[in-house]
């Protein structure tokens, strides 16, 4: 199993970036895919998820209206379009995969089976 993120970098306040996560080794459309982020000394935070079955999405409040999660099941790829970036969005962003079963909290890190290594996004002010 592999999840490989790309697209991070340094971007100016108010700018945009698109993250990608290419996966292999499991049946992509059977999994909920999510983006998490983490800054030094803090717990990993759930940003957004998208279900494989029906495309249902969720966003944490701080990114609503600015970030868009999507997936291309034919390409086994997850995306996160990040617009109007703020310095507080600076973090390492991780993609993660969870087999799609009923759970109470789809943004709980412990529910996720597979993780990428992360890509750094730095928003300069």
């Amino acid at each position: 199993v592999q999840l490989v993120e790309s697209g991070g970098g340094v971007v100016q306040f108010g700018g945009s970036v698109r993250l990608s996560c290419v996966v292999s080794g499991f049946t992509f459309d059977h999994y909920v895919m999510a983006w998490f982020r983490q800054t030094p000394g803090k717990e990993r935070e759930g940003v957004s998820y998208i279900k494989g079955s029906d495309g249902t999405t969720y966003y944490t409040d701080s990114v609503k209206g600015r970030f868009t999660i999507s997936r291309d099941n034919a390409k086994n790829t997850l995306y996160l379009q990040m617009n109007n970036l703020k310095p507080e969005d600076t973090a390492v962003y991780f993609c993660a995969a969870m087999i799609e079963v009923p759970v109470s909290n789809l943004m709980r890190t412990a529910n996720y089976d597979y993780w990428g290594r992360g890509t750094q996004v730095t928003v300069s002010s």
Side-chain angles (χ1 to χ4, degrees):
V1 172
Q2 281 194 315
L3 291 79
V4 181
E5 303 97 336
S6 62
V10 179
V11 61
Q12 288 190 334
F13 177 85
S16 299
V17 69
R18 188 174 82 155
L19 305 182
S20 299
C21 174
V22 179
V23 312
S24 60
F26 59 91
T27 306
F28 186 62
D29 59 0
H30 290 183
Y31 281 71
V32 178
M33 296 299 300
W35 289 98
F36 291 79
R37 64 186 180 186
Q38 190 170 24
T39 54
K42 293 189 176 181
E43 290 189 359
R44 198 164 291 188
E45 172 194 24
V47 175
S48 179
Y49 69 72
I50 182 168
K51 291 185 177 180
S53 57
D54 62 6
T56 298
T57 59
Y58 164 87
Y59 300 92
T60 194
D61 285 346
S62 62
V63 307
K64 282 180 182 176
R66 300 189 298 120
F67 291 11
T68 303
I69 192 170
S70 61
R71 63 192 294 161
D72 186 334
N73 288 343
K75 295 183 178 180
N76 283 5
T77 303
L78 174 72
Y79 302 100
L80 186 67
Q81 178 66 43
M82 305 163 64
N83 297 330
N84 192 20
L85 283 160
K86 304 175 181 180
E88 52 264 41
D89 296 317
T90 295
V92 178
Y93 284 74
F94 299 88
C95 68
M98 186 198 86
I99 187 75
E100 192 167 332
V101 295
V103 296
S104 60
N105 183 358
L106 283 172
M107 288 270 76
R108 183 169 174 256
T109 56
N111 287 330
Y112 283 78
D113 305 298
Y114 306 122
W115 292 85
R117 292 188 174 185
T119 185
Q120 175 73 45
V121 174
T122 301
V123 183
S124 64
S125 56

